[in-house]
Amino acid sequence: MALVKDILETMEYGPAPEAAAEVLAWLKARRRFGHFINGGFTAAGKTFATDNPATGENLAEVTQGTAADVAAAVAAARAAQPAWAALPGHERARWLYALARHVQKRDRFLAVLEVLDNGKPIRETRDIDVPLVSRHFYHHAGWAEMLADEFPDAVPVGVCGQIIPWNFPLLMLAWKIAPALAAGNTVVLKPAEYTPLSALAFAEICAEVGLPPGVVNIVTGDGETGAALVAAPVDKIAFTGSTEVGRIIRRATAGTGKKLTLELGGKSPFIVFADADLDAAVEGVVDAIWFNQGQVCCAGSRILVAEAAEADFTARLTARLGKLRLGDPLDKCTDIGAIVHPVQLARIRDLVAQGQAAGAQLVQAECQLPAKGSFFAPGFMTGVHPANPVAVEEIFGPVATLTSFRTLDEAVELANNTRYGLAASIWTENISLALDIAARVKAGVIWVNATNLFDAGAGFGGMRESGFGREGGREGMAEYLKLPEPKPQPEAAPTRLDAAPLPGTPAAPGIDRTAKIYIGGTQKRPDGGYSYAVNAGSTHLGLAPLGNRKDIRNAVEAAHKAAGWGNATGHNRAQVLYFIAENLSARAAEFAARLASAGGDGAEVEASIRRLFYYAAQADKFDGAVHATKSAHVTLAMPEPFGVMGIACPNAAPLLGFVSLVAPAIAMGNRVVAIPAQSMPFAATDLYQVFDTSDLPGGVVNIITGARDELAKTLAQHDDVAAMWYCGSAEGGAMVEAESAGNLKATWTLRNRDWQGPGAQGPRFLARATQVKNIWVPYGE
């Protein structure tokens, strides 16, 4: 036995294993698990094994869910939902409180079970995962209590299908189930194939507290089970997982009316400036990429270091890497546990080998790997060029890349040089610098001098190909609620593009007016050189330019060049909107006559002026919040514009419909490529001179006339368009949602409505025109 004096010399850690006997006895007593449906467990069907990744030993057999199993779970949830939603908020709060308390009563059991099934160290499940699980149920018990006051008129979505990953099995369950139940929804949840056991243990807790049958249903299985849940008649799908599967789900749900939130992959930058506390930043790397074996969607996997600090930082990081302890995840002294499954281990090895083949060098801890189990020694890679596979692909393992930068602009450019946008970590002692970079990095979560901080009170979610929607906080609650939709209004079929001009006298005789498309603040002829006839009944109104794919491309480029609009203050944007309203008012009679010639309503002009005033008023008032989260931090929830948006406008109310969609988008700082009413585009093309005399910068609004659905498809497919609104047919809306899967842009498909009614303006338009960035800033010592 080692003597104390010798231990003090070496400072080596002795073994400190956590007992697993109680959990193993629980597993032995059950061995084969069925699904949890309608308040009870079904008999086990065809099963698959779930193994301990640290040893390879079998833990239990779990039932492979079928389409029939999913259907039974959805039916149970559907039957239970009306009564659950009808409960007063206080009653639902009591159930959520009970779930939180019972999780706490079994915290060590759940922590050990998670280690056995997932392979992560006991320190992480005990000190991070399980406490956050109970925190989410406590927090959302509060939302249930105050829902009617905080979300007036909102109602639950209905039945929610939820699919969670294997990296945080119980925590992801809480992230999804807690807000769904607080809002009055019922759920069918599918845990990951590799890690279903903590979800099944949670099902027992649901039964133990007496949760009404059907409120929570859990169906286990692989990807086929998840696909069956996506296809099932649920009202919402919430998915956390890979970007590739997220695309499949986006296409599968297109046109179904199902609400969708996607929290997908990431390749998050970890930016270290020369003035940073380098020792603290090194510890940040430990928490950013070696936490949970790097199997974290928001892991700081791309370390970007100021060239002046690169050598010093790399030396310190290498020294710290050598101190990490890899081994038995149940040992309280273990830093690095097991990779979740041999398949994932093989993927990590393959990507690292690809990176080395492309010229990168691997700096790796000299760890003695256990004889059994799936383990990979932590490390980082240097000499990584931007196109190297390890710089581009999500490794999802304990390996980061390290790259240097010289200037602030280069740091931002490197940080944003990814198709993802989930999170970022910024290290500097200069708070002004930190907040400047936080505003410029395209990510949904930003940590300043910290990393991987989570709390139920703050939203979490990504931008770009990291998905859309938020989980946690006020914005996460909103994802499980819906507001009453205005009654859909019938809309005439758009003008046929092959229609010839009608014979006879035009509606407005005089000098011929030539409408053009509008790109970058300039009137331009369409690329194809074609026009189409615009007719209203027996009256020929004129020829409109027929835009094509190249016109859309040019308009998107012009919109990107107008990026300064998003950096303008809300007051400045408001002034421009007021000017547009003022100049439209000066030409009200002209616009009214133009609309009347097409059988329109002259009152549309006055309504458009009022709408511009409304969004001018909101431009500097639709602002963010400070979330109450962890001590020593303030968490800023900042609504940010998407950037470039595509907007396809309705045929009805050609002026007011256009203004009702474009105004909120630009009020929030977006630049738009708009497709006006196909049957009456002149209401929009006549706005060119209004824009030009109202200080609207070129490229903020671009107008392409022509075939609405054809042009909308091009916009939906465009990878440099960040969000897309479409108002038109159900078929067109389904098309836009499906085609948006390429870069997973946020979409909003609206049906035509009374554009002078209350459902044609309001905060929901502003919320749809923004995405919330949560910035964690140190506050206090």
Side-chain angles (χ1 to χ4, degrees):
M1 178 180 293
L3 299 177
V4 172
K5 67 181 183 64
D6 296 328
I7 294 173
L8 290 174
E9 289 290 332
T10 63
M11 295 301 289
E12 290 182 356
Y13 286 83
E18 177 72 37
E22 183 177 342
V23 174
L24 293 173
W26 179 82
L27 291 169
K28 184 177 180 180
R30 287 153 182 80
R31 289 301 302 169
R32 290 167 56 85
F33 288 88
H35 309 300
F36 184 72
I37 298 175
N38 205 31
F41 280 93
T42 65
K46 180 181 179 181
T47 61
F48 59 91
T50 180
D51 300 329
N52 183 341
T55 64
E57 297 171 354
N58 176 254
L59 295 172
E61 296 290 320
V62 180
T63 297
Q64 168 63 36
T66 65
D69 296 328
V70 170
V74 171
R78 184 68 66 190
Q81 199 272 327
W84 179 254
L87 287 176
H90 173 70
E91 295 300 318
R92 290 200 300 275
R94 293 175 69 164
W95 288 112
L96 287 160
Y97 176 80
L99 290 171
R101 294 293 290 138
H102 279 252
V103 166
Q104 286 184 314
K105 292 173 185 177
R106 283 159 179 73
D107 57 358
R108 189 55 61 92
F109 173 90
L110 292 169
V112 173
L113 178 62
E114 199 83 313
V115 170
L116 293 177
D117 204 24
N118 175 274
K120 64 174 64 180
I122 183 68
R123 290 197 345 243
E124 294 177 10
T125 62
R126 179 196 66 196
D127 300 341
I128 299 172
D129 292 16
V130 176
L132 274 173
V133 170
S134 56
R135 161 68 174 147
H136 272 267
F137 283 104
Y138 278 128
H139 179 79
H140 288 93
W143 275 120
E145 189 79 44
M146 56 198 288
L147 202 65
D149 293 332
E150 295 297 321
F151 292 92
D153 302 323
V155 297
V157 173
V159 175
C160 301
Q162 302 176 322
I163 303 171
I164 60 175
W166 43 258
N167 55 340
F168 291 91
L170 191 60
L171 181 54
M172 291 294 100
L173 176 148
W175 277 26
K176 288 185 167 50
I177 288 182
L181 267 55
N185 304 287
T186 54
V187 305
V188 178
L189 179 134
K190 191 202 86 69
E193 178 186 4
Y194 296 160
T195 56
L197 296 181
S198 55
L200 295 168
F202 179 80
E204 289 193 359
I205 290 176
C206 291
E208 184 177 75
V209 303
L211 193 70
V215 172
V216 170
N217 305 272
I218 295 174
V219 179
T220 54
D222 59 13
E224 291 185 3
T225 311
L229 181 54
V230 171
V234 297
D235 303 298
K236 174 182 169 68
I237 292 291
F239 172 77
T240 298
S242 72
T243 295
E244 291 73 19
V245 176
R247 285 196 183 91
I248 294 171
I249 293 174
R250 169 68 283 183
R251 294 188 179 103
T253 57
T256 63
K258 294 174 183 175
K259 198 168 186 179
L260 179 64
T261 51
L262 298 173
E263 196 266 282
L264 307 174
K267 196 71 176 171
S268 300
F270 185 101
I271 310 171
V272 183
F273 288 96
D275 69 339
D277 180 336
L278 295 186
D279 287 326
V282 165
E283 288 306 310
V285 171
V286 175
D287 293 336
I289 187 62
W290 298 323
F291 169 64
N292 197 20
Q293 296 72 252
Q295 299 170 136
V296 184
C297 54
C298 54
S301 55
R302 292 186 298 133
I303 306 169
L304 309 176
V305 186
E307 191 176 81
E310 180 186 12
D312 190 4
F313 180 84
T314 303
R316 298 184 194 212
L317 185 62
T318 303
R320 183 67 178 90
L321 176 65
K323 300 295 184 182
L324 295 176
R325 298 176 299 277
L326 180 148
D328 179 8
L330 281 172
D331 193 320
K332 302 180 189 70
C333 298
T334 293
D335 297 310
I336 307 292
I339 303 301
V340 71
H341 193 274
V343 169
Q344 179 61 19
L345 177 61
R347 183 179 186 277
I348 295 168
R349 287 172 173 167
D350 179 59
L351 278 171
V352 170
Q354 289 183 45
Q356 290 175 306
Q361 296 82 48
L362 176 63
V363 180
Q364 194 170 26
E366 296 180 0
C367 300
Q368 181 65 42
L369 299 182
K372 297 187 297 182
S374 300
F375 290 88
F376 191 91
F380 61 93
M381 304 190 81
T382 61
V384 181
H385 59 74
N388 190 306
V390 293
V392 176
E393 300 298 329
E394 186 178 27
I395 300 174
F396 225 64
V399 182
T401 63
L402 192 150
T403 308
S404 65
F405 63 86
R406 291 185 177 180
T407 66
L408 303 187
D409 289 343
E410 185 183 5
V412 172
E413 185 175 357
L414 287 169
N416 291 333
N417 184 33
T418 174
R419 65 183 188 271
Y420 299 111
L422 187 53
S425 187
I426 301 167
W427 294 80
T428 174
E429 294 298 288
N430 184 333
I431 189 63
S432 297
L433 173 62
L435 294 180
D436 173 51
I437 301 301
R440 296 167 65 187
V441 171
K442 296 176 181 177
V445 181
I446 307 287
W447 296 291
V448 175
N449 290 340
T451 191
N452 279 340
L453 295 178
F454 310 103
D455 188 78
F460 183 88
M463 300 177 179
R464 302 197 286 184
E465 291 187 32
S466 290
F468 47 80
R470 296 292 181 263
E471 295 184 300
R474 175 180 291 272
E475 52 265 40
M477 273 303 302
E479 299 288 355
Y480 285 93
L481 295 164
K482 61 182 180 181
L483 292 168
E485 287 292 329
K487 182 180 178 180
Q489 298 292 313
E491 184 183 34
T495 295
R496 287 174 52 197
L497 296 182
D498 59 352
L502 293 170
T505 305
I511 297 175
D512 184 73
R513 298 174 64 179
T514 302
K516 296 181 181 178
I517 59 176
Y518 188 65
I519 297 177
T522 303
Q523 299 183 46
K524 295 180 180 292
R525 297 186 183 278
D527 171 70
Y530 287 92
S531 299
Y532 71 97
V534 179
N535 303 318
S538 61
T539 304
H540 172 57
L541 301 180
L543 295 175
L546 186 61
N548 63 18
R549 176 180 292 271
K550 186 175 180 181
D551 295 317
I552 292 289
R553 183 199 69 184
N554 294 338
V556 172
E557 289 180 358
H560 275 282
K561 291 177 181 177
W565 179 251
N567 298 325
T569 66
H571 170 72
N572 288 342
R573 292 196 297 270
Q575 289 296 296
V576 172
L577 286 164
Y578 281 129
F579 291 160
I580 294 171
E582 175 187 329
N583 288 319
L584 178 59
S585 177
R587 299 174 59 182
E590 174 191 336
F591 275 84
R594 181 71 126 160
L595 291 167
S597 70
D601 184 356
E604 205 178 310
V605 181
E606 183 58 35
S608 298
I609 294 168
R610 290 198 304 271
R611 192 127 304 154
L612 287 162
F613 261 68
Y614 174 81
Y615 287 117
Q618 288 279 13
D620 62 353
K621 298 175 185 65
F622 188 81
D623 48 22
V626 178
H627 290 319
T629 53
K630 296 182 180 293
S631 60
H633 287 87
V634 289
T635 307
L636 310 175
M638 303 296 293
E640 289 192 351
F642 284 100
V644 176
M645 292 179 60
I647 298 179
C649 301
N651 280 311
L655 177 64
L656 182 57
F658 181 93
V659 169
S660 296
L661 297 180
V662 170
I666 65 173
M668 293 295 96
N670 297 287
R671 295 90 67 198
V672 305
V673 178
I675 307 164
Q678 182 174 327
S679 297
M680 180 49 182
F682 304 127
T685 60
D686 285 353
L687 285 172
Y688 299 164
Q689 292 178 345
V690 173
F691 292 154
D692 291 342
T693 57
S694 302
D695 294 340
L696 183 71
V700 173
V701 176
N702 305 273
I703 302 174
I704 309 296
T705 59
R708 179 181 61 191
D709 286 7
E710 181 181 322
L711 295 172
K713 183 177 182 180
T714 300
L715 278 170
Q717 293 173 336
H718 204 301
D719 285 346
D720 277 341
V721 175
M724 179 78 193
W725 292 358
Y726 173 91
C727 183
S729 67
E731 297 77 13
M735 174 273 295
V736 164
E737 290 177 345
E739 297 299 335
S740 72
N743 70 337
L744 288 164
K745 58 175 62 67
T747 61
W748 188 22
T749 55
L750 309 81
R751 299 308 300 274
N752 187 43
R753 58 195 62 199
D754 176 5
W755 291 101
Q756 298 200 41
Q761 73 174 32
R764 75 171 74 182
F765 286 79
L766 301 168
R768 289 279 193 171
T770 54
Q771 49 193 342
V772 176
K773 174 185 284 184
N774 280 273
I775 306 172
W776 293 67
V777 182
Y779 186 70
E781 186 176 354

